[in-house]
Amino acid sequence: MRNFLIAGNWKMNKGPASTRELLDNLTNEVTEAPDKVEILVCPPAISVTSALSAVEGTDIKVGVQHVSYEDDGALTGEISTGMVLETDATHVIVGHSERRQYFGETDATVNKRVKKILEDDLVPIICVGESLEQRQKDQHHRVVLNQIKAALNGLEADAVSSVVIAYEPVWAIGTGETATPEQAQEMHELIRDDLADKFGEEVSDSVQIVYGGSMKPHNAEELLSQTDVDGGLIGGASLKADSFSDIISVAAKLAG
Ligand code: 13P
């Protein structure tokens, strides 16, 4: 009953001109989202308007990779949800491990951002995931559930039903290592059960839980066929029109 979400996180790649070029190539291959599949690209903020103009008339949605939890003010380099709302962007990635690792993002700031994003009717894609060391010490379940608990702290069930959660094991990001389908399913199921306990079955059934970490055309099918894997947050493979559209085709086949 949930749609797949196939989302590209472009990270710090593609200015306005190269965004146009990539999306012109992508829209040569895909314009209509297949039934039960949502397509999203998240370029750098400077390229969002270029992306929106390139995908005009198609079903491809555009999101951003980060926002401030403040409305406005003396915060050099930041962008606000209000600015995002002046565009037609719909989603905001929050709590990505690269933000946690390099930019001081904490569970507390993730929570503030999630609240701000929901308040302004944008969709947060909340990233969680354990490090290799945490998995080796068998702490991965606790780490991920704690990150989710903190991110959703203070939210009502109704609000939780509109978030997206991205499980991104840190050891699989940009490394070519992927979680096995069993590892992904195990974690996604744990997350969904936890949501059901805290917010009820209806909410947990509706939340899209997507997988991120070296999802590629060759491994997309085994990951996306898992019951609780509702899509992908894709880095490297979203930077080429053909590999991204190949993953969309896999989702379309499985949804059909
Ligand atoms: P890769 O697909 O390049 O591993 O990146 C995953 C990711 O971090 C998506 O947010």
Side-chain angles (χ1 to χ4, degrees), residues 9 11 96 168 172-174 213-215 233-236:
N9 173 9
K11 309 192 180 185
H96 193 280
E168 301 208 316
I173 296 177
S214 302
M215 186 182 275
L233 184 56
I234 300 147

Side-chain angles (χ1 to χ4, degrees), residues 43-80:
I46 196 169
S47 304
V48 162
T49 50
S50 162
L52 282 161
S53 113
V55 300
E56 209 179 319
T58 76
D59 292 335
I60 301 171
K61 299 178 192 180
V62 176
V64 296
Q65 299 173 15
H66 171 73
V67 286
S68 172
Y69 46 77
E70 301 290 354
D71 285 326
D72 48 38
L75 292 162
T76 302
E78 289 285 272
I79 66 163
S80 68

Side-chain angles (χ1 to χ4, degrees), residues 7-11 93 96-98 127 166 168-170 172-177 211-216 232-239:
N9 173 9
W10 292 5
K11 309 192 180 185
I93 298 172
H96 193 280
S97 62
E98 288 150 16
C127 303
E168 301 208 316
V170 178
I173 296 177
T175 58
E177 287 251 352
Y211 169 83
S214 302
M215 186 182 275
K216 310 280 180 199
L233 184 56
I234 300 147
S238 71
L239 293 171

Side-chain angles (χ1 to χ4, degrees), residues 20-33:
R20 173 106 231 168
E21 195 183 329
L22 171 52
L23 289 175
D24 283 348
N25 290 335
L26 182 65
T27 53
N28 277 338
E29 314 215 11
V30 197
T31 50
E32 277 179 43

